[in-house]
Amino acid sequence: MDKPSVFIIGAGPTGLTCAIELARRGIPVRIIEKKSEPEHISKAIGINPRSLTLLEASGVTPRLLTKGLKLNRMRMHYGDDKQIAIHLDKIPHKYNFLIALPQDETETILEERLNELGVKVERVAELDDLIETGQGYEALIKSQWGSETIRNSLIIGADGAHSMTRKQINVDFEGIAIEEPWYLADVHIDWPYQQNGHDAQAFFQQDGTVGLTFPLGGTRYRLLSNREEVFGFLPKPYSIEDSLWESQFKLSCRLAQTFQKANVFLAGDAAHIHTPVGGRGMNLGIEDACVLADYIDAGKTDRYTTDRRPAARHVINMTTKFYNLMTTQSPMKIWARNHFMLPLLKFSAVQKQQLKMISGL
Ligand SMILES: Cc1cc2nc3c(=O)[nH]c(=O)nc-3n(C[C@H](O)[C@H](O)[C@H](O)COP(=O)(O)OP(=O)(O)OC[C@H]3O[C@@H](n4cnc5c(N)ncnc54)[C@H](O)[C@@H]3O)c2cc1C
């Protein structure tokens, strides 16, 4: 049987992974990206054991392991100086850690591997329209070289949360927007908690705000908080040596009504978005990409929505529950969190449940 041609829209982590997985199987693939060059911002910083396992076959995993930092624990500080940890090193897998690596560096590794497989990202090229023909969809592409119509191809929309692909095929993106803004900073910092080495940390405050820190190597950290003074939750004394990137963003939790319509597929943020709790956003996109490439190769694409949509819904439900627990402003719920829920992490069954969510296994 002839292999189908595949056309991917969007060269974020999902699109790049999908292109690699198809190219290494000998499936003809093109990938377009509207931006003229890669963005140098860190965005997603945690790569989980499931992604590391999936990216082994393409040879990407060893490069991520070399470049990234191994996170062994997630420490949570709450109440009056109490703390408890999720022990990532108890994940029952050879990758019993998360790899911390800024997303732009992950994308560089993916794009280099794709180039080695003979595929180049076609930049300054974007989806302009998807036209229904009665036998599926054709894609109209506008690029620096003019217009082109893509026919007789499988089309993958890996074009992010505001996916034009999804809008063009009229697929609803059901869910909720979270009103409160979040703040982010990538900084070089000198502070006492440096002694905790390669631990991610969460600082739960009594007023329902929370701050998170993730080490990115040396004195570089990612800070994330739902309070505007993003440094405000850091235990004193600390000194910010250098601020590399500061940003504000709003969160939504949404799931596409279907991940496939005729010959068009949705993957990554185009299909699902949720809070950054558990660090699953980029990882879920990498999973979609690997599973979809596998199904295309096996001629079983009808399984894609039935397989991936429930997986994404499960992650959205789990991460939303934990997000609500983290950010509750109800004094009663804060009391219950500090005196009952967080201490439950002492029990191995509860640890196992959290590790399953974080690892993606
Ligand atoms: C500030 C910020 C912080 C984040 N932090 C985390 C985190 O800590 N942990 C986590 O898991 N996730 C985090 N995320 C989310 C994570 O970055 C996304 O889940 C991930 O990037 C999704 O990858 P993707 O490839 O599906 O989509 P994207 O990364 O959005 O890539 C889509 C690509 O498609 C291109 N594109 C769009 N439209 C078109 C078109 N019409 N034609 C051609 N190309 C197009 C875009 O330019 C883009 O390059 C963060 C996101 C942001 C914005």
PDB file of all heavy atoms in Angstrom, residues 11 17 34 52 87 136 150 197 205 221 268 310 329 337:
ATOM      1  N   ALA A  11       5.187  24.580  13.417  1.00  0.00           N
ATOM      2  CA  ALA A  11       6.440  23.922  13.818  1.00  0.00           C
ATOM      3  C   ALA A  11       6.770  24.204  15.277  1.00  0.00           C
ATOM      4  O   ALA A  11       7.881  24.595  15.627  1.00  0.00           O
ATOM      5  CB  ALA A  11       7.582  24.345  12.899  1.00  0.00           C
ATOM      6  N   THR A  17       7.690  17.145  16.297  1.00  0.00           N
ATOM      7  CA  THR A  17       7.748  15.727  16.687  1.00  0.00           C
ATOM      8  C   THR A  17       7.033  14.868  15.656  1.00  0.00           C
ATOM      9  O   THR A  17       7.524  13.806  15.250  1.00  0.00           O
ATOM     10  CB  THR A  17       7.094  15.519  18.078  1.00  0.00           C
ATOM     11  OG1 THR A  17       7.772  16.337  19.017  1.00  0.00           O
ATOM     12  CG2 THR A  17       7.159  14.076  18.526  1.00  0.00           C
ATOM     13  N   LYS A  34       4.477  29.797  10.223  1.00  0.00           N
ATOM     14  CA  LYS A  34       4.265  31.186   9.787  1.00  0.00           C
ATOM     15  C   LYS A  34       5.368  32.130  10.267  1.00  0.00           C
ATOM     16  O   LYS A  34       5.633  33.138   9.632  1.00  0.00           O
ATOM     17  CB  LYS A  34       2.886  31.682  10.199  1.00  0.00           C
ATOM     18  CG  LYS A  34       2.657  31.888  11.661  1.00  0.00           C
ATOM     19  CD  LYS A  34       1.247  32.426  11.878  1.00  0.00           C
ATOM     20  CE  LYS A  34       0.950  32.590  13.347  1.00  0.00           C
ATOM     21  NZ  LYS A  34      -0.420  32.990  13.602  1.00  0.00           N
ATOM     22  N   LEU A  52      10.031  11.173  27.044  1.00  0.00           N
ATOM     23  CA  LEU A  52      11.402  10.674  26.865  1.00  0.00           C
ATOM     24  C   LEU A  52      11.379   9.274  26.256  1.00  0.00           C
ATOM     25  O   LEU A  52      12.203   8.933  25.406  1.00  0.00           O
ATOM     26  CB  LEU A  52      12.146  10.661  28.209  1.00  0.00           C
ATOM     27  CG  LEU A  52      12.447  12.046  28.806  1.00  0.00           C
ATOM     28  CD1 LEU A  52      12.987  11.921  30.229  1.00  0.00           C
ATOM     29  CD2 LEU A  52      13.440  12.819  27.938  1.00  0.00           C
ATOM     30  N   HIS A  87       8.192  12.684  45.371  1.00  0.00           N
ATOM     31  CA  HIS A  87       9.518  12.151  45.036  1.00  0.00           C
ATOM     32  C   HIS A  87       9.511  11.572  43.623  1.00  0.00           C
ATOM     33  O   HIS A  87       9.102  10.433  43.412  1.00  0.00           O
ATOM     34  CB  HIS A  87       9.921  11.083  46.056  1.00  0.00           C
ATOM     35  CG  HIS A  87      10.097  11.649  47.430  1.00  0.00           C
ATOM     36  ND1 HIS A  87      11.278  12.183  47.861  1.00  0.00           N
ATOM     37  CD2 HIS A  87       9.208  11.817  48.444  1.00  0.00           C
ATOM     38  CE1 HIS A  87      11.139  12.643  49.092  1.00  0.00           C
ATOM     39  NE2 HIS A  87       9.883  12.436  49.470  1.00  0.00           N
ATOM     40  N   GLY A 136     -13.054  15.375   1.204  1.00  0.00           N
ATOM     41  CA  GLY A 136     -12.088  15.790   2.221  1.00  0.00           C
ATOM     42  C   GLY A 136     -11.730  17.254   2.034  1.00  0.00           C
ATOM     43  O   GLY A 136     -12.477  18.009   1.408  1.00  0.00           O
ATOM     44  N   ILE A 150      -2.714  22.427  -1.458  1.00  0.00           N
ATOM     45  CA  ILE A 150      -2.235  21.090  -1.080  1.00  0.00           C
ATOM     46  C   ILE A 150      -3.392  20.112  -1.264  1.00  0.00           C
ATOM     47  O   ILE A 150      -4.424  20.214  -0.596  1.00  0.00           O
ATOM     48  CB  ILE A 150      -1.766  21.071   0.399  1.00  0.00           C
ATOM     49  CG1 ILE A 150      -0.744  22.182   0.668  1.00  0.00           C
ATOM     50  CG2 ILE A 150      -1.229  19.702   0.801  1.00  0.00           C
ATOM     51  CD1 ILE A 150       0.536  22.093  -0.124  1.00  0.00           C
ATOM     52  N   GLY A 197      18.999  22.272  45.433  1.00  0.00           N
ATOM     53  CA  GLY A 197      19.524  21.729  44.180  1.00  0.00           C
ATOM     54  C   GLY A 197      18.487  21.590  43.101  1.00  0.00           C
ATOM     55  O   GLY A 197      17.827  22.554  42.748  1.00  0.00           O
ATOM     56  N   GLN A 205       0.487  30.069  49.709  1.00  0.00           N
ATOM     57  CA  GLN A 205       0.308  31.178  50.641  1.00  0.00           C
ATOM     58  C   GLN A 205      -1.077  31.082  51.290  1.00  0.00           C
ATOM     59  O   GLN A 205      -1.994  30.473  50.729  1.00  0.00           O
ATOM     60  CB  GLN A 205       0.437  32.514  49.898  1.00  0.00           C
ATOM     61  CG  GLN A 205       1.639  32.604  48.967  1.00  0.00           C
ATOM     62  CD  GLN A 205       2.975  32.667  49.703  1.00  0.00           C
ATOM     63  OE1 GLN A 205       3.126  33.451  50.626  1.00  0.00           O
ATOM     64  NE2 GLN A 205       3.923  31.833  49.304  1.00  0.00           N
ATOM     65  N   TYR A 221      16.400  30.245  37.204  1.00  0.00           N
ATOM     66  CA  TYR A 221      15.141  29.652  37.655  1.00  0.00           C
ATOM     67  C   TYR A 221      13.972  30.213  36.873  1.00  0.00           C
ATOM     68  O   TYR A 221      13.994  31.366  36.452  1.00  0.00           O
ATOM     69  CB  TYR A 221      14.881  29.971  39.145  1.00  0.00           C
ATOM     70  CG  TYR A 221      15.725  29.156  40.084  1.00  0.00           C
ATOM     71  CD1 TYR A 221      17.035  29.536  40.365  1.00  0.00           C
ATOM     72  CD2 TYR A 221      15.231  28.003  40.668  1.00  0.00           C
ATOM     73  CE1 TYR A 221      17.826  28.778  41.223  1.00  0.00           C
ATOM     74  CE2 TYR A 221      16.011  27.240  41.522  1.00  0.00           C
ATOM     75  CZ  TYR A 221      17.304  27.632  41.794  1.00  0.00           C
ATOM     76  OH  TYR A 221      18.075  26.880  42.630  1.00  0.00           O
ATOM     77  N   GLY A 268      -1.837  18.496  19.760  1.00  0.00           N
ATOM     78  CA  GLY A 268      -1.220  19.463  20.674  1.00  0.00           C
ATOM     79  C   GLY A 268      -2.219  20.513  21.130  1.00  0.00           C
ATOM     80  O   GLY A 268      -3.419  20.243  21.268  1.00  0.00           O
ATOM     81  N   PRO A 310     -10.017  11.036  25.012  1.00  0.00           N
ATOM     82  CA  PRO A 310     -10.219  10.720  26.439  1.00  0.00           C
ATOM     83  C   PRO A 310      -8.945  10.949  27.257  1.00  0.00           C
ATOM     84  O   PRO A 310      -9.016  11.372  28.412  1.00  0.00           O
ATOM     85  CB  PRO A 310     -10.595   9.235  26.430  1.00  0.00           C
ATOM     86  CG  PRO A 310     -11.057   8.954  25.048  1.00  0.00           C
ATOM     87  CD  PRO A 310     -10.312   9.887  24.140  1.00  0.00           C
ATOM     88  N   GLN A 329      -9.284  30.326  47.502  1.00  0.00           N
ATOM     89  CA  GLN A 329      -9.179  31.466  48.418  1.00  0.00           C
ATOM     90  C   GLN A 329     -10.101  31.266  49.615  1.00  0.00           C
ATOM     91  O   GLN A 329     -10.178  32.115  50.486  1.00  0.00           O
ATOM     92  CB  GLN A 329      -9.539  32.742  47.679  1.00  0.00           C
ATOM     93  CG  GLN A 329      -8.629  32.922  46.475  1.00  0.00           C
ATOM     94  CD  GLN A 329      -8.451  34.341  46.058  1.00  0.00           C
ATOM     95  OE1 GLN A 329      -9.270  35.175  46.377  1.00  0.00           O
ATOM     96  NE2 GLN A 329      -7.375  34.607  45.340  1.00  0.00           N
ATOM     97  N   ARG A 337      -6.743  21.918  52.799  1.00  0.00           N
ATOM     98  CA  ARG A 337      -5.561  21.603  51.974  1.00  0.00           C
ATOM     99  C   ARG A 337      -4.327  21.415  52.861  1.00  0.00           C
ATOM    100  O   ARG A 337      -3.583  20.446  52.718  1.00  0.00           O
ATOM    101  CB  ARG A 337      -5.322  22.750  50.976  1.00  0.00           C
ATOM    102  CG  ARG A 337      -4.113  22.527  50.083  1.00  0.00           C
ATOM    103  CD  ARG A 337      -3.805  23.752  49.251  1.00  0.00           C
ATOM    104  NE  ARG A 337      -3.251  24.825  50.058  1.00  0.00           N
ATOM    105  CZ  ARG A 337      -3.252  26.115  49.704  1.00  0.00           C
ATOM    106  NH1 ARG A 337      -3.799  26.485  48.571  1.00  0.00           N
ATOM    107  NH2 ARG A 337      -2.721  27.025  50.498  1.00  0.00           N
TER     108      ARG A 337
END
